[in-house]
Amino acid sequence: MSDETKAKAIAKWKNFLPRIGYPDKWRDWSGLDIKQGDYYGDVMAAAKFNYQYDLHKIGKATDRQEWSMTPQTVNAVYFSSSNTITFAAAILQPPFFYPNGDDAINYGAIGALIGHEASHGFDDKGSQFDGDGNLANWWTKDDRQKFEIRADRLVQQFNDYAPIKNVPDAHVNGRLTLGENTADLGGLSVAYDALQQALKQNPRPAGEKIGGYTQDQRFFLSWARLWRGSVRDKEELVRLNTDPHPPDSLRAIGAPSNMDAFARAFQCKPGDAMVRSGDKQAKIW
Ligand SMILES: [Zn+2]
């Protein structure tokens, strides 16, 4: 990336607004009339109330403190139009964050997710917005081209995955999932670098293993563990066509396959299933 584009990227980064746990300012719900025993009526009343609430935003400045999810939701989100990253209280608990856990575990999970949301500001879509949330091109033509060449490797990687055993022709849509895959790769890479910094500041005993695994191994295991789950084939088929996130099982392995640090941690050799090298290896952020 040229110095010119880099300076704009840093300016955007400086204008990121992190929102952690719960909103500083709570929404005023007065005027919304809810009656016990009238579910349908309540849904209609809430829809009407929210419609008016949204209409009142017209012509006013964007409120960067406004949340669109509840603190009880296990989720995190980036909005390019306000340049904000949000981590609800409910995601700040295991298996994402362990208050007494060691750094490798926490950097591999919540650390990588923080990196993931931040990277959304610089993925295929987020990178088209500036630090004030306006759709604006801040890239030189040459940098944009290089970005797209790198992104295409990630598109190809995910196009090749056919995750449903019984439907071998059903592939992931690498273009649809590019934003999420860019964010996973960027997020996990930056969290790994951050872990190395943290270990420099708070060194662990040389060669230390916890539960039989090194710090680096635990970092990647912690990432993989986030994506445990199971989905029926039919539902997976729908998601392959509609969900901008790739299947969880591929989130566990997709980003690490592009990282030299992963291969080092588990002594993988060139040609192994989770080692992408040469022009197959994707590295964006
Ligand atoms: Zn995401």
Side-chain angles (χ1 to χ4, degrees), residues 116-117 120 180 245:
H116 172 105
E117 299 310 334
H120 270 316
E180 292 302 325
H245 302 84

Side-chain angles (χ1 to χ4, degrees), residues 94-96 98 105 109 218 220-229 252:
F96 298 95
Y98 293 80
I105 291 295
R218 287 160 59 73
F220 287 108
L221 286 170
S222 187
W223 167 255
R225 189 171 52 172
L226 297 182
W227 309 114
R228 289 180 303 183

Side-chain angles (χ1 to χ4, degrees), residues 75-78 113 116-117 120 123 179-181 183-184 227 244-245 251:
N75 207 357
V77 67
Y78 171 77
L113 282 189
H116 172 105
E117 299 310 334
H120 270 316
D123 70 14
E180 292 302 325
N181 297 329
D184 276 352
W227 309 114
H245 302 84
R251 297 188 74 172

Side-chain angles (χ1 to χ4, degrees), residues 64-105:
R64 298 182 80 205
Q65 298 294 347
E66 189 193 5
W67 281 48
S68 61
M69 66 177 163
T70 68
Q72 298 91 332
T73 310
V74 180
N75 207 357
V77 67
Y78 171 77
F79 286 122
S80 48
S81 58
S82 57
N83 201 22
T84 55
I85 40 174
T86 311
F87 298 88
I91 205 167
L92 303 175
Q93 60 178 333
F96 298 95
F97 175 61
Y98 293 80
N100 301 315
D102 68 296
D103 281 347
I105 291 295

Side-chain angles (χ1 to χ4, degrees), residues 208-221:
E208 178 199 43
K209 289 188 178 180
I210 301 177
Y213 295 102
T214 65
Q215 290 290 319
D216 281 10
Q217 288 173 338
R218 287 160 59 73
F219 170 86
F220 287 108
L221 286 170

